[in-house]
Amino acid sequence: MTTPVVPSRGALRPLGLNEVRLTGGHWAERQSVNAANTIAHCLHWLETLGWIDNFTRAATGAPFERAGREFSDSEVYKLAEAMAWEIGRTGDPALEARFTELTAIIIAAQEEDGYLNTMFGHPGQRPRYSELEWGHELYCYGHLLQAGVARLRCHGEDDFTRLCRRAADHVCDVFGPGGIERVCGHAEIEVGLAEFARATGEARYLEQARLFIERRGTHTLSAEGFGRAYYQDDVPVRDAEVLRGHAVRALYLASGAVDVAVDTGDDELLDAVRRQWDRTLARRTHLTGGMGSRYIDEAFGPDFALPPDRAYSESCAGIAAVMTAWRLMLATGDMGYGDLIERVSWNVLSGATDPDGTTFFYANPLHVRTADATPPPYAVLPHQAAGGQRAPWYDVSCCPTNLARTFAQFAVYLATADESGVQLHQYAPAAIDTVVGGSRFALTMSTAYPDDGVIVIRVDANDGGERTVSLRVPAWAEGATVTGPDGATRPAEAGRTARVTAAFAPGDEIRLQLPVAPRWTVPDPRIDAVRGCAAVERGPVVLCAESIDLPGGADVAELTVDVSVPPLERDGRISVSAQVHARDGGWPYGPATPDEEGKSAEVALIPFHRRANRGPSSMRVWLPAT
Amino acid sequence: MTTPVVPSRGALRPLGLNEVRLTGGHWAERQSVNAANTIAHCLHWLETLGWIDNFTRAATGAPFERAGREFSDSEVYKLAEAMAWEIGRTGDPALEARFTELTAIIIAAQEEDGYLNTMFGHPGQRPRYSELEWGHELYCYGHLLQAGVARLRCHGEDDFTRLCRRAADHVCDVFGPGGIERVCGHAEIEVGLAEFARATGEARYLEQARLFIERRGTHTLSAEGFGRAYYQDDVPVRDAEVLRGHAVRALYLASGAVDVAVDTGDDELLDAVRRQWDRTLARRTHLTGGMGSRYIDEAFGPDFALPPDRAYSESCAGIAAVMTAWRLMLATGDMGYGDLIERVSWNVLSGATDPDGTTFFYANPLHVRTADATPPPYAVLPHQAAGGQRAPWYDVSCCPTNLARTFAQFAVYLATADESGVQLHQYAPAAIDTVVGGSRFALTMSTAYPDDGVIVIRVDANDGGERTVSLRVPAWAEGATVTGPDGATRPAEAGRTARVTAAFAPGDEIRLQLPVAPRWTVPDPRIDAVRGCAAVERGPVVLCAESIDLPGGADVAELTVDVSVPPLERDGRISVSAQVHARDGGWPYGPATPDEEGKSAEVALIPFHRRANRGPSSMRVWLPAT
């Protein structure tokens, strides 16, 4: 069972990497670039910077000068997870050899009692667990355990999974009742323990995850620094109304809380996360699906504080949002959660790397005012690569390895199953081959989506029994239609699930038609930062203007657009009617005067996820309306 | 001569605290609250936190655990400066006694060679000048020398000024040609040395200031961290086009550059600062006159990045902007610089403290979305007190002592003189008594400005010769008039200087009438963050809405205003026609739909500088237009 998330109960059954395969198109390309380039790139940097060597040096027992930040161990674990899924998907023997080498290096650094961290507890270092707020020790275990899950599911028990078990046992020993009854400053151990419990069948790990979830919000962490909301220790998970504080922390915590709620039958807790999620989407999410508005603490802002130029929208927060949405969908069966997964995947994750998969955005703002002349060779701070160009690595380099593990397992987000059939959540060329009602049920999905709105699902295998194929119709898809194997076409309501039930025979086809013509989108009037602006979306893809496409060296700051004219699409090129204004002036505040007429121009837009691929450019998603 | 800034040349002659006295009204009130409360409050915190005791402990020569951040010495110096001006203004003997005590404490910590800093060079501490980027050693000297200037000008040579001379000599010895040819990460030594050169007549100090100005921008500081622009080490001062990086650093540097330019006859340098200033006002200044848009590095953002909710607009940046504008005005004689001084004074400095002068804002955003329930008892980070309520002290507590020294010398910003007469820059009840053309020339200014627009200037003494009284007519004052002693009223053009020339006799009156009716102000369309909004100003005072004034517990987020209806003023209460919208909804982006009708309301506005005085409230200056 090569499945990343396997709840003990829930409306939908997730499929494994052996049951869903990407066969072409954008996501298959991302996945193969990840396998060919990104994993090796990450490994190179982890080796070059000494973040892997930390394990070797910690193992000596002698004092050593440790490389990297307090969470650098976790990068090694996230890369191990990426490798494990990739091995599960492809069986690549070279990667398997590297994984085995890495396992030996990590094992050597594990203490007798299961403790494993290169930053604490060694000669000259601070004692273990002496700094739960910022030490990231439990956070690192969480990622280790997620790698352990990948290894268990794709390979089975081995030295790596046994090391994970020892670490998990150690965490339960030390942080169980009567032990250190506190939490980690960065949530992640919860989701790691919960899935590791599922993968091993060890109820103890789930119970420990539950304890961590329950403790969070009871003020076991200091209020110093950014305050307790930063690490969600302000309010218990089940009492909170909205996601807040550090966005990645909040979303990893939410993911872990869903896992615990599902596996312990705690519907109150599940409802709490759903409530927080709904409010977060309605009030604290950027058009791209990105989350986080605060550079100073990488955090959610208050409701409707969504500045495009300071959209932090961390790549890792996008990944964590997909994790949460996926778990909520499996638990509830509500396919609407797939809308956010699609939005984030196209507009945050996909553009977080360049086409070659070797440079990365950490923050993904929707507006770049000033283009950096040269790409950063290495970015100390995330915002140093927010100037329009990606960096190959960061001091806080959480995003590259996180993207690597996510692309490696991406196929599983496409489909689920239940007793009646298969649900299709994301549309891409893919082969689905699973078991429904005890019999094989196989489908082939063919599509050029989202370039084209037609998705054809062909049934390859069915036992002749009645099956239901459920199709997510995105909320933006007004006018969608679905055609069954009988040839009858009917409307498919936007924001609902379209179901086609039939005693499918091999060769039967279902055709979903989604209206992907480019469209103007306007923001809720409460979003102050983009008042008076509009954006163009095409299907799930958010578009943007880059200065490189503007006439006469104009900057995106000089544009206004005419939203009364629909965006034009011709030969795959999208453009909008705009004016370019050459403005000047002194003190910028005064009595209202009519805005001067600009120079008319037809301005090309490109997908936001393809930004920053053609050299320095200013860029904006939200375009001021004339 | 009790004058803070005395350039060796320039168009206008500054007056001393003995020549301009505030006699009533808002600024006299701020000054007396400062004297009665703020200085004592700061002294209390400096003593309580051990920031004064650092000097005593450093003096022992034994290792000690130092209190406070790396710049805490400067707080003691800024308070000493406040005390010195205050002693100069009032001769308060109790304050004089405290000053003498403080002098003894500081002197004890000074090394043989003049070095003085409690953070470096003592047993167990890092070596002197080993960390110019962040160590703030030269920054601290700069504030020491500014205190020395105050003492020299208000009292004359004493132990304190001699200690300052030793420190200044030390700086010249160590950082002169052939020494450490670098600069401090925080500009301030430049402005301190330049004025200390004027006060002492020591040309060496001016030359050292010049060297620091010339070195800045030549990459003598590391690019690590926030990059070189943060401390203006990216580009030489004379080559830069705009103020950038950390706002206080940028403005202290600009002030020092003007001083050096003026005293060395370097017009190219002066023009460079003027050019940077003009562009900064046109593109990087908030409506309040506040500067800085970045919480993460307390810095200017790029052009037109002026988010009201994240307006950092540090109180100290406001003070530094007044310092720069004042120096530019003295140098050029252009009274228009007074507009920014007025705007900043009313809208940043005045509201940075509560009416009692014992709690402070560090950041002064123009929009508070979420009101803190309780005021912070002590704020570790500036943004912790950005939630609508002031804090009594900060970990980085630069603003309270900076405000204290500024209010103590505030009167001098009201007027200057030249050979032909007196220039009035700020309007407040005041007595001006100076010498023009070798004879006494005295004026009394009577006004309830800006509550009322009438300013009456009575001549109290003149030798009968012809004199010119010049009056700044603010750029917003369309329709102003001036009435001479002959009773003739004529228009006074907004944004220009109105001059009244006469052979004044005692009792003659000049009457300036400024139109202070509340008015709608809209932003330049390039300021993305406030597109579609308008603000109300009344004279120089920016107004705001606070939720406490809204009907039925509404929040400022629910308001839209009708800008076609002029703001209404009745019985001193200002209001605007508004709608209150109770909105709800899910995903906040989609096709354009007509905004729902809100509930009509007449909404009261208050001066921004009086915000946060009535308990928790959300607040906004920029109001979305219906």
Side-chain angles (χ1 to χ4, degrees), chain A residues 251-430:
Chain A
L251 289 156
Y252 281 171
L253 179 65
S255 299
V258 174
D259 287 340
V260 166
V262 166
D263 282 22
T264 64
D266 187 342
D267 287 343
E268 185 195 62
L269 181 61
L270 180 62
D271 287 348
V273 179
R274 293 175 70 176
R275 181 176 71 230
Q276 294 164 39
W277 178 262
D278 288 349
R279 180 159 169 158
T280 301
L281 256 61
R283 296 172 177 234
R284 299 187 174 191
T285 305
H286 297 279
L287 178 63
T288 53
M291 295 181 186
S293 299
R294 291 285 185 257
Y295 275 62
I296 198 171
D297 53 356
E298 310 192 316
F300 286 101
D303 287 353
F304 301 113
L306 294 163
D309 55 342
R310 298 298 270 183
Y312 200 70
S313 182
E314 186 180 333
S315 304
C316 288
I319 291 165
V322 169
M323 287 168 56
T324 306
W326 182 246
R327 283 160 175 78
L328 286 170
M329 187 166 67
L330 294 179
T332 63
D334 180 348
M335 292 181 71
Y337 290 106
D339 277 15
L340 193 278
I341 294 177
E342 178 173 50
R343 188 171 285 276
V344 169
S345 300
W346 278 102
N347 301 302
V348 180
L349 308 195
S350 190
T353 69
D354 69 311
D356 288 341
T358 56
T359 58
F360 308 88
F361 279 131
Y362 185 122
N364 295 276
L366 283 71
H367 182 181
V368 172
R369 294 173 183 276
T370 312
D372 289 338
T374 47
Y378 176 89
V380 174
L381 293 166
H383 77 268
Q384 291 184 331
Q389 295 190 69
R390 299 173 184 89
W393 203 253
Y394 293 84
D395 225 30
V396 177
S397 218
C398 43
C399 301
T401 55
N402 217 355
L403 288 162
R405 70 176 184 142
T406 302
F407 288 134
Q409 64 189 276
F410 192 82
V412 302
Y413 294 122
L414 267 64
T416 54
D418 63 9
E419 280 313 290
S420 68
V422 161
Q423 301 78 40
L424 298 178
H425 305 287
Q426 305 300 329
Y427 301 116

Side-chain angles (χ1 to χ4, degrees), chain B residues 19 26 52 64 66 237 346 371:
Chain B
E19 294 170 292
H26 182 82
I52 291 177
F64 67 104
R66 189 181 170 282
V237 179
W346 278 102

Side-chain angles (χ1 to χ4, degrees), chain A residues 224-226 281-282 285-287 294-296 302-306 310 343 367 369-370 381 383-384 521-529 531-533 583-592 595 620 622 624, chain B residues 225-226 281-282 285-287 294-296 302-306 310 343 367 369-370 380-381 383-384 521-529 531-533 583-592 595 620 622 624:
Chain A
E224 291 295 290
F226 294 120
L281 256 61
T285 305
H286 297 279
L287 178 63
R294 291 285 185 257
Y295 275 62
I296 198 171
D303 287 353
F304 301 113
L306 294 163
R310 298 298 270 183
R343 188 171 285 276
H367 182 181
R369 294 173 183 276
T370 312
L381 293 166
H383 77 268
Q384 291 184 331
T521 293
V522 301
D524 186 297
R526 288 170 291 185
I527 305 178
D528 291 304
R531 179 170 290 111
C533 293
R583 295 186 175 101
D584 209 346
W587 182 247
Y589 309 102
D595 196 17
R620 65 190 301 165
W622 289 108
Chain B
F226 294 121
L281 256 61
T285 304
H286 296 280
L287 179 63
R294 292 283 185 260
Y295 275 61
I296 198 171
D303 287 352
F304 302 111
L306 294 162
R310 298 299 268 181
R343 189 171 284 276
H367 182 181
R369 294 173 182 277
T370 312
V380 174
L381 293 167
H383 77 267
Q384 290 183 332
T521 294
V522 301
D524 186 296
R526 288 170 290 185
I527 306 178
D528 291 305
R531 180 170 289 112
C533 291
R583 296 186 174 102
D584 211 346
W587 182 248
Y589 309 101
D595 197 17
R620 66 190 301 166
W622 289 107

